[in-house]
Amino acid sequence: MERTLIIIKPDGVQRHLVGRIIGRFEQKGLQIIGLKMMRLGREMAEKHYAVHKGKHFYDSLINFITSSPVVVMALEGAGAIEIARKLVGSTFGSAAEPGTIRGDFGVSNSFNLIHASDGPETARFELGLFFGPEELSEYEHADRTWIYDWSKGEPE
Ligand code: CMP
């Protein structure tokens, strides 16, 4: 099973989309193993977006992500990183495909509602940044035998 980090950004919270966005991941079959609301300080935001330091959008991105509370979520599932990225859609709201979170709920390129880790290394780093081990719950969904085919011993 793979884990990934999701951030519902300030615009998602302010636009009352938290429930519907979380619902997209739940409906797909990804398991919520961590969830909290927080206001990001500059230091945390700068660590999270360190790879973008120096880019033309960096300062406004840091201002935006620290401007109001966010909801952070840890998800688990087979192929969770790639699946979550597909549910989120492409970066810019103006171009994101209908059916995706960004495609269905927004039109802005900078206020793009949500962040999802873009690979295994990033996911490990971002999960470690936002969640302590004691904040992640390991449990089995009662319907896990219907979410996946376990007949070969692995989730398929
Ligand atoms: P996110 O998935 O959180 O990762 C980096 C963020 O930078 C991205 O979503 C956008 O919110 C923001 N951003 C703003 N301008 C750009 C740009 N030109 N290219 C990529 N990301 C951008």
Side-chain angles (χ1 to χ4, degrees), residues 9 48-49 52 56-57 61 64 85 91-92 102 109-112 114-116:
K9 298 184 181 181
H48 174 67
Y49 281 128
H52 296 299
H56 67 90
F57 57 84
L61 177 60
F64 163 53
R85 297 281 294 180
T91 303
F92 294 146
R102 286 172 175 158
N109 293 342
S110 359
F111 287 9
N112 62 358
I114 184 162
H115 167 85

Side-chain angles (χ1 to χ4, degrees), residues 22 26 30-35 73-76 137 139 141:
I22 292 174
E26 278 195 303
L30 295 175
Q31 185 171 357
I32 300 169
I33 58 165
L35 186 65
M73 178 164 59
L75 295 175
E76 188 173 82
S137 299
Y139 64 101
H141 270 155

Side-chain angles (χ1 to χ4, degrees), residues 22-41:
I22 292 174
R24 293 285 178 113
F25 296 102
E26 278 195 303
Q27 286 159 21
K28 180 70 175 167
L30 295 175
Q31 185 171 357
I32 300 169
I33 58 165
L35 186 65
K36 63 183 172 183
M37 175 172 264
M38 62 194 293
R39 176 86 181 252
L40 295 196

Side-chain angles (χ1 to χ4, degrees), residues 54-108:
K55 294 184 183 167
H56 67 90
F57 57 84
Y58 178 76
D59 290 340
S60 50
L61 177 60
I62 298 295
N63 288 337
F64 163 53
I65 204 76
T66 57
S67 64
S68 182
V70 299
V71 170
V72 290
M73 178 164 59
L75 295 175
E76 188 173 82
I81 297 170
E82 186 59 31
I83 289 170
R85 297 281 294 180
K86 283 196 179 138
L87 291 178
V88 165
S90 58
T91 303
F92 294 146
S94 61
E97 310 75 7
T100 65
I101 293 166
R102 286 172 175 158
D104 285 353
F105 296 131
V107 291
S108 170

